[in-house]
Amino acid sequence: MTEVTAFLSPQESADGVWRLWVDTALLGSAGSVQHDFPAGPTAPTVAARTQALAALGFAPADPAPGLVWRWTEVPAFSGEGSTVVGETLVRPLTEAKPAPAVPVSGLRRTRTVVRDAPRGKRGPVAPEDLAELLGPEAAHWPALGLTVHHGGVVDRDGSQFRVFDGHELVGFTIAQGEGREYRAVVHTDREGLPYGEPFPVLPADPLRARHEALQDFLRPTDPDYPRGPYVPRIAPGEGPRGG
């Protein structure tokens, strides 16, 4: 049975509130499911976490009594001070069926689910068009605060795509043989052209893909090397599930 990671951390925007979330990307779902605990002076107990996990459809991967959590200190999102993030392995109470293969344009299959965009098109891709053009994973990207634009890093005819986190480029597609390949931005050269690490499929969370690519591509002494583990971004506007 597939094991995935559950995280627990205090919310900077809500004093005393702890959020539990489970990264469901390995289960074929984009994003995560989450539960917010009522504000309190300390972290929720292990029993409360286990109960919340059950409400989200998960159980501890280790059946032994006492759920074991590993704690890591990471920089705070505000840029000041630090916070803690707990993590542990969990398993779904019911194993989900694998997602069916996504067809690509025509009869030709490529390394990714990226389709060719109408040439010459400019500006952002409408959210309702993302699933058709980039596959079901991309349909969740706007909820993560990401936008997709027509036009690649090198091409100017709009047949490729760029992914932005605000004004920061975090991913792009390039022509690769007969198909398209998605890359996460990890560095820039002197001319400002991004280097990237390719991914065989579109990631559920491009920010995670960029974070992991940076860790693989850069040396720990590089100022752009990400510190600490990746903390998934909760989709704005999504309320707690199962809590």
Side-chain angles (χ1 to χ4, degrees):
M1 183 168 287
T2 305
E3 294 181 353
V4 294
T5 305
F7 299 89
L8 179 72
S9 68
Q11 298 301 289
E12 293 184 52
S13 58
D15 189 32
V17 173
W18 288 73
R19 174 166 292 169
L20 171 73
W21 72 96
V22 181
D23 187 352
T24 57
L26 292 179
L27 302 178
S29 302
S32 60
V33 293
Q34 67 186 57
H35 171 82
D36 283 354
F37 293 95
T42 61
T45 64
V46 171
R49 296 174 221 166
T50 303
Q51 184 177 5
L53 283 170
L56 294 176
F58 295 88
D62 184 355
L67 186 58
V68 177
W69 290 75
R70 182 169 64 89
W71 295 91
T72 306
E73 184 177 358
V74 298
F77 285 119
S78 63
E80 299 179 359
S82 61
T83 185
V84 293
V85 176
E87 59 181 282
T88 191
L89 290 176
V90 297
R91 57 177 176 79
L93 293 175
T94 57
E95 187 75 10
K97 295 182 179 179
V102 179
V104 295
S105 54
L107 299 177
R108 172 171 49 83
R109 299 186 66 84
T110 65
R111 291 184 60 196
T112 73
V113 295
V114 179
R115 297 172 183 263
D116 288 343
R119 292 184 176 272
K121 193 142 187 181
R122 301 290 181 181
V125 178
E128 59 268 23
D129 294 334
L130 287 174
E132 179 182 357
L133 291 172
L134 293 171
E137 299 286 23
H140 183 72
W141 291 356
L144 296 173
L146 304 174
T147 56
V148 181
H149 287 249
H150 291 282
V153 174
V154 178
D155 82 304
R156 297 291 181 265
D157 61 10
S159 64
Q160 297 173 37
F161 304 89
R162 289 163 294 157
V163 183
F164 288 90
D165 178 22
H167 296 290
E168 182 182 12
L169 182 69
V170 296
F172 60 97
T173 63
I174 63 171
Q176 185 71 21
E178 293 295 320
R180 293 287 180 265
E181 184 176 82
Y182 179 87
R183 289 176 179 261
V185 176
V186 295
H187 205 50
T188 56
D189 63 16
R190 294 178 182 177
E191 297 179 352
L193 297 176
Y195 294 109
E197 280 294 306
F199 292 88
V201 295
L202 290 169
D205 185 344
L207 296 176
R208 173 188 286 274
R210 179 178 181 273
H211 181 95
E212 294 174 348
L214 278 166
Q215 290 184 323
D216 291 339
F217 187 85
L218 301 178
R219 295 180 178 179
T221 54
D222 192 292
D224 291 329
Y225 187 87
R227 309 298 172 186
Y230 172 75
V231 179
R233 176 183 295 177
I234 303 301
E238 286 192 358
R241 302 181 191 176

